[in-house]
Amino acid sequence: MPLYTSQPLKIYNSLSGEKEDFKPIHEGNVGMYVCGPTVYSNVHLGNVRTFMSFDVIFRYFLHLDYKVRYVRNITDVGHIVDDVDEGEDKIAKKARLEQLEPMEVVQRYTVDFHDILKAFNFLPPSIEPTATGHIIEQIEIIKKIIDKGIGYVANGSVYFDVVKYNETNNYGILSGRNIEDMLANTRDLDGQSDKRNPQDFALWKKAEPEHIMRWPSPWSDGFPGWHLECTAMSTKYLGNHFDIHGGGMDLKFPHHECEIAQNEACTGQSPVNYWMHANMLTLNGKKMAKSTGNNILPGEILSGDNNILSKPFSASVTRFFMLQAHYRSILDFSDDAIVAAEKGYKRLMEAVETLPSITAGNTSSIDFGAWKQLCYDAMNDDFNTPILIAQLFEAVRYINLLKDGKETISTEDLASFTAAVNAFVFNVLGLSDEKNADEDDKLEGVVNMLIGMRNQARADKNFALSDQIRDQLIALGIQLKDGKEGTTFSIQ
């Protein structure tokens, strides 16, 4: 039986404001969409925290034996500065400042995004679509919204009529905002004269002559609205109605609110069952901002090249630090906090490394089954990683008692306990044992040195020494493979 049948899960749904029993649309399958980065700069630490939260959620669904389709997009069109309908395209602005083609900007920062997430041990999503790869789908959605009488064309741009939509629907259902209050409190800004109402948002914008990124459409040469991108990509790969949509708390309004409106206007149904939002990250008690210098990039934590922290910290320590807070709570990043997290991380890893040396007995003096269920209870309660970590430190206490011979464990319980500790530490939380990683690096260095010595011996026609190096490595379980590109090795 799949594990999810015995581990009922509750998820906090931003739409209802309550924890709800998770019931997927299709049993055993989960469809999840998360708003990805706009690739015009290095990925922010706050973004990494959001994506890490959903990485753990993805990992836990997989651990529960669900089949998961996880879609996380790349916004490479470059929506408007400050996410409003007037202003300048972020990617185009960066391209002009650096005298680059916009897609050079996109490529540079997409690579940076992937490199950072790989360093922090993220699993790749099932699908990573780009906004520019789905212009046709976005145009088709706009046509449907216009046909329903909720989209209108003005001077080559297309807008979503929020007031018209609200006659039969609820614009504000996710954020709790009231359309009448929004209209009353919004002054008519210059440059919004094409709109019927100040709250209307762009589905398609006509490009000005100097605008670099543009595509042909029935209405003008232009570019799609920001909100429309995610509607097109989520529904293409997950259908008009799917399980989970996630993102940062800052996207709840207007981005996710507009997504709901577009979907309902287009298909007549609510697109998502569970809306999930990760909270923000602060630095030394204040909002992170480049302008004030209260800012640090993920790569700067790893390199130590910053004036915020006392030394470099590894990706696993940083990950462990972030998971000590629930994804829906604000997390404050500081030197003191990550130093403390490093100590906790090392204590946890030392205990995990001790497990293989524990000797089993005939009986168990501790109820390890109950401990294991408490770990599941933590994750089943809206993915509560801090409670799970607390249970893992209870496991550390057990391991130390077993090591000192103060408690006993049966062979069966030891196998189950070891498997559970490793599953929650490495598979669910996604931590890495960096001590072992360092040892792997050292082993690779030594073997490559011996390969170099063997190559020199062969060049000197000292075949006896060459064969001796090869044979002694084989005896140690290290197989050399000579090929056109040189010599590689594998551990048997």
PDB file of all heavy atoms in Angstrom, residues 414-433:
ATOM      1  N   LEU A 414      16.084  -1.373  14.988  1.00  0.00           N
ATOM      2  CA  LEU A 414      17.276  -0.640  14.540  1.00  0.00           C
ATOM      3  C   LEU A 414      17.218  -0.378  13.033  1.00  0.00           C
ATOM      4  O   LEU A 414      17.527   0.723  12.570  1.00  0.00           O
ATOM      5  CB  LEU A 414      18.544  -1.417  14.891  1.00  0.00           C
ATOM      6  CG  LEU A 414      19.865  -0.751  14.461  1.00  0.00           C
ATOM      7  CD1 LEU A 414      20.017   0.635  15.072  1.00  0.00           C
ATOM      8  CD2 LEU A 414      21.053  -1.642  14.837  1.00  0.00           C
ATOM      9  N   ALA A 415      16.781  -1.382  12.287  1.00  0.00           N
ATOM     10  CA  ALA A 415      16.665  -1.218  10.826  1.00  0.00           C
ATOM     11  C   ALA A 415      15.623  -0.160  10.486  1.00  0.00           C
ATOM     12  O   ALA A 415      15.854   0.712   9.631  1.00  0.00           O
ATOM     13  CB  ALA A 415      16.309  -2.556  10.183  1.00  0.00           C
ATOM     14  N   SER A 416      14.474  -0.227  11.164  1.00  0.00           N
ATOM     15  CA  SER A 416      13.396   0.733  10.910  1.00  0.00           C
ATOM     16  C   SER A 416      13.794   2.148  11.338  1.00  0.00           C
ATOM     17  O   SER A 416      13.537   3.125  10.626  1.00  0.00           O
ATOM     18  CB  SER A 416      12.132   0.288  11.664  1.00  0.00           C
ATOM     19  OG  SER A 416      11.117   1.246  11.540  1.00  0.00           O
ATOM     20  N   PHE A 417      14.438   2.244  12.499  1.00  0.00           N
ATOM     21  CA  PHE A 417      14.867   3.546  13.048  1.00  0.00           C
ATOM     22  C   PHE A 417      15.908   4.196  12.132  1.00  0.00           C
ATOM     23  O   PHE A 417      15.825   5.379  11.791  1.00  0.00           O
ATOM     24  CB  PHE A 417      15.437   3.310  14.452  1.00  0.00           C
ATOM     25  CG  PHE A 417      15.911   4.554  15.155  1.00  0.00           C
ATOM     26  CD1 PHE A 417      15.079   5.652  15.326  1.00  0.00           C
ATOM     27  CD2 PHE A 417      17.200   4.619  15.678  1.00  0.00           C
ATOM     28  CE1 PHE A 417      15.522   6.792  15.994  1.00  0.00           C
ATOM     29  CE2 PHE A 417      17.655   5.754  16.345  1.00  0.00           C
ATOM     30  CZ  PHE A 417      16.803   6.841  16.504  1.00  0.00           C
ATOM     31  N   THR A 418      16.893   3.399  11.701  1.00  0.00           N
ATOM     32  CA  THR A 418      17.943   3.910  10.815  1.00  0.00           C
ATOM     33  C   THR A 418      17.361   4.400   9.499  1.00  0.00           C
ATOM     34  O   THR A 418      17.709   5.486   9.008  1.00  0.00           O
ATOM     35  CB  THR A 418      18.999   2.822  10.545  1.00  0.00           C
ATOM     36  OG1 THR A 418      19.566   2.404  11.791  1.00  0.00           O
ATOM     37  CG2 THR A 418      20.094   3.320   9.629  1.00  0.00           C
ATOM     38  N   ALA A 419      16.441   3.606   8.927  1.00  0.00           N
ATOM     39  CA  ALA A 419      15.812   3.988   7.659  1.00  0.00           C
ATOM     40  C   ALA A 419      15.011   5.280   7.815  1.00  0.00           C
ATOM     41  O   ALA A 419      15.062   6.162   6.944  1.00  0.00           O
ATOM     42  CB  ALA A 419      14.912   2.862   7.159  1.00  0.00           C
ATOM     43  N   ALA A 420      14.286   5.414   8.936  1.00  0.00           N
ATOM     44  CA  ALA A 420      13.461   6.603   9.155  1.00  0.00           C
ATOM     45  C   ALA A 420      14.319   7.851   9.341  1.00  0.00           C
ATOM     46  O   ALA A 420      14.033   8.908   8.762  1.00  0.00           O
ATOM     47  CB  ALA A 420      12.553   6.390  10.368  1.00  0.00           C
ATOM     48  N   VAL A 421      15.380   7.737  10.153  1.00  0.00           N
ATOM     49  CA  VAL A 421      16.263   8.896  10.377  1.00  0.00           C
ATOM     50  C   VAL A 421      16.849   9.373   9.054  1.00  0.00           C
ATOM     51  O   VAL A 421      16.809  10.565   8.725  1.00  0.00           O
ATOM     52  CB  VAL A 421      17.393   8.541  11.378  1.00  0.00           C
ATOM     53  CG1 VAL A 421      18.458   9.633  11.379  1.00  0.00           C
ATOM     54  CG2 VAL A 421      16.821   8.364  12.778  1.00  0.00           C
ATOM     55  N   ASN A 422      17.371   8.431   8.265  1.00  0.00           N
ATOM     56  CA  ASN A 422      17.971   8.802   6.976  1.00  0.00           C
ATOM     57  C   ASN A 422      16.944   9.379   6.014  1.00  0.00           C
ATOM     58  O   ASN A 422      17.236  10.339   5.287  1.00  0.00           O
ATOM     59  CB  ASN A 422      18.672   7.594   6.360  1.00  0.00           C
ATOM     60  CG  ASN A 422      20.039   7.350   6.976  1.00  0.00           C
ATOM     61  OD1 ASN A 422      21.003   8.031   6.663  1.00  0.00           O
ATOM     62  ND2 ASN A 422      20.125   6.375   7.876  1.00  0.00           N
ATOM     63  N   ALA A 423      15.741   8.808   6.016  1.00  0.00           N
ATOM     64  CA  ALA A 423      14.691   9.299   5.108  1.00  0.00           C
ATOM     65  C   ALA A 423      14.304  10.732   5.442  1.00  0.00           C
ATOM     66  O   ALA A 423      14.205  11.581   4.549  1.00  0.00           O
ATOM     67  CB  ALA A 423      13.470   8.389   5.183  1.00  0.00           C
ATOM     68  N   PHE A 424      14.094  11.034   6.724  1.00  0.00           N
ATOM     69  CA  PHE A 424      13.662  12.380   7.104  1.00  0.00           C
ATOM     70  C   PHE A 424      14.792  13.402   6.959  1.00  0.00           C
ATOM     71  O   PHE A 424      14.554  14.538   6.534  1.00  0.00           O
ATOM     72  CB  PHE A 424      13.098  12.384   8.524  1.00  0.00           C
ATOM     73  CG  PHE A 424      11.709  11.826   8.614  1.00  0.00           C
ATOM     74  CD1 PHE A 424      11.451  10.637   9.285  1.00  0.00           C
ATOM     75  CD2 PHE A 424      10.646  12.486   8.017  1.00  0.00           C
ATOM     76  CE1 PHE A 424      10.164  10.113   9.357  1.00  0.00           C
ATOM     77  CE2 PHE A 424       9.353  11.968   8.081  1.00  0.00           C
ATOM     78  CZ  PHE A 424       9.113  10.781   8.756  1.00  0.00           C
ATOM     79  N   VAL A 425      16.023  13.002   7.287  1.00  0.00           N
ATOM     80  CA  VAL A 425      17.148  13.942   7.212  1.00  0.00           C
ATOM     81  C   VAL A 425      17.524  14.237   5.759  1.00  0.00           C
ATOM     82  O   VAL A 425      17.654  15.400   5.361  1.00  0.00           O
ATOM     83  CB  VAL A 425      18.368  13.406   7.986  1.00  0.00           C
ATOM     84  CG1 VAL A 425      19.611  14.251   7.698  1.00  0.00           C
ATOM     85  CG2 VAL A 425      18.091  13.397   9.483  1.00  0.00           C
ATOM     86  N   PHE A 426      17.696  13.185   4.967  1.00  0.00           N
ATOM     87  CA  PHE A 426      18.252  13.360   3.620  1.00  0.00           C
ATOM     88  C   PHE A 426      17.185  13.483   2.531  1.00  0.00           C
ATOM     89  O   PHE A 426      17.298  14.331   1.649  1.00  0.00           O
ATOM     90  CB  PHE A 426      19.210  12.215   3.293  1.00  0.00           C
ATOM     91  CG  PHE A 426      20.368  12.123   4.256  1.00  0.00           C
ATOM     92  CD1 PHE A 426      20.562  10.998   5.045  1.00  0.00           C
ATOM     93  CD2 PHE A 426      21.253  13.185   4.386  1.00  0.00           C
ATOM     94  CE1 PHE A 426      21.626  10.922   5.933  1.00  0.00           C
ATOM     95  CE2 PHE A 426      22.325  13.123   5.273  1.00  0.00           C
ATOM     96  CZ  PHE A 426      22.503  11.988   6.061  1.00  0.00           C
ATOM     97  N   ASN A 427      16.146  12.639   2.582  1.00  0.00           N
ATOM     98  CA  ASN A 427      15.152  12.638   1.508  1.00  0.00           C
ATOM     99  C   ASN A 427      14.095  13.727   1.677  1.00  0.00           C
ATOM    100  O   ASN A 427      13.703  14.370   0.704  1.00  0.00           O
ATOM    101  CB  ASN A 427      14.452  11.272   1.409  1.00  0.00           C
ATOM    102  CG  ASN A 427      15.417  10.159   1.066  1.00  0.00           C
ATOM    103  OD1 ASN A 427      16.518  10.417   0.597  1.00  0.00           O
ATOM    104  ND2 ASN A 427      15.022   8.926   1.314  1.00  0.00           N
ATOM    105  N   VAL A 428      13.610  13.923   2.901  1.00  0.00           N
ATOM    106  CA  VAL A 428      12.530  14.890   3.133  1.00  0.00           C
ATOM    107  C   VAL A 428      13.084  16.301   3.329  1.00  0.00           C
ATOM    108  O   VAL A 428      12.702  17.239   2.615  1.00  0.00           O
ATOM    109  CB  VAL A 428      11.651  14.462   4.326  1.00  0.00           C
ATOM    110  CG1 VAL A 428      10.609  15.537   4.640  1.00  0.00           C
ATOM    111  CG2 VAL A 428      10.958  13.126   4.034  1.00  0.00           C
ATOM    112  N   LEU A 429      13.991  16.470   4.273  1.00  0.00           N
ATOM    113  CA  LEU A 429      14.562  17.805   4.504  1.00  0.00           C
ATOM    114  C   LEU A 429      15.587  18.184   3.436  1.00  0.00           C
ATOM    115  O   LEU A 429      15.880  19.366   3.249  1.00  0.00           O
ATOM    116  CB  LEU A 429      15.199  17.877   5.896  1.00  0.00           C
ATOM    117  CG  LEU A 429      14.231  17.783   7.079  1.00  0.00           C
ATOM    118  CD1 LEU A 429      15.000  17.885   8.403  1.00  0.00           C
ATOM    119  CD2 LEU A 429      13.152  18.856   7.020  1.00  0.00           C
ATOM    120  N   GLY A 430      16.137  17.189   2.758  1.00  0.00           N
ATOM    121  CA  GLY A 430      17.081  17.477   1.678  1.00  0.00           C
ATOM    122  C   GLY A 430      18.443  17.944   2.157  1.00  0.00           C
ATOM    123  O   GLY A 430      19.165  18.627   1.426  1.00  0.00           O
ATOM    124  N   LEU A 431      18.833  17.562   3.380  1.00  0.00           N
ATOM    125  CA  LEU A 431      20.161  17.920   3.879  1.00  0.00           C
ATOM    126  C   LEU A 431      21.209  16.992   3.272  1.00  0.00           C
ATOM    127  O   LEU A 431      20.882  15.909   2.780  1.00  0.00           O
ATOM    128  CB  LEU A 431      20.192  17.823   5.409  1.00  0.00           C
ATOM    129  CG  LEU A 431      19.201  18.726   6.165  1.00  0.00           C
ATOM    130  CD1 LEU A 431      19.251  18.437   7.659  1.00  0.00           C
ATOM    131  CD2 LEU A 431      19.492  20.196   5.886  1.00  0.00           C
ATOM    132  N   SER A 432      22.455  17.418   3.303  1.00  0.00           N
ATOM    133  CA  SER A 432      23.569  16.594   2.817  1.00  0.00           C
ATOM    134  C   SER A 432      24.562  16.405   3.949  1.00  0.00           C
ATOM    135  O   SER A 432      24.745  17.307   4.775  1.00  0.00           O
ATOM    136  CB  SER A 432      24.275  17.278   1.649  1.00  0.00           C
ATOM    137  OG  SER A 432      23.380  17.509   0.593  1.00  0.00           O
ATOM    138  N   ASP A 433      25.189  15.241   3.982  1.00  0.00           N
ATOM    139  CA  ASP A 433      26.250  14.994   4.950  1.00  0.00           C
ATOM    140  C   ASP A 433      27.541  15.535   4.347  1.00  0.00           C
ATOM    141  O   ASP A 433      28.203  14.870   3.551  1.00  0.00           O
ATOM    142  CB  ASP A 433      26.371  13.496   5.244  1.00  0.00           C
ATOM    143  CG  ASP A 433      27.345  13.212   6.376  1.00  0.00           C
ATOM    144  OD1 ASP A 433      28.133  14.120   6.721  1.00  0.00           O
ATOM    145  OD2 ASP A 433      27.334  12.100   6.918  1.00  0.00           O
TER     146      ASP A 433
END
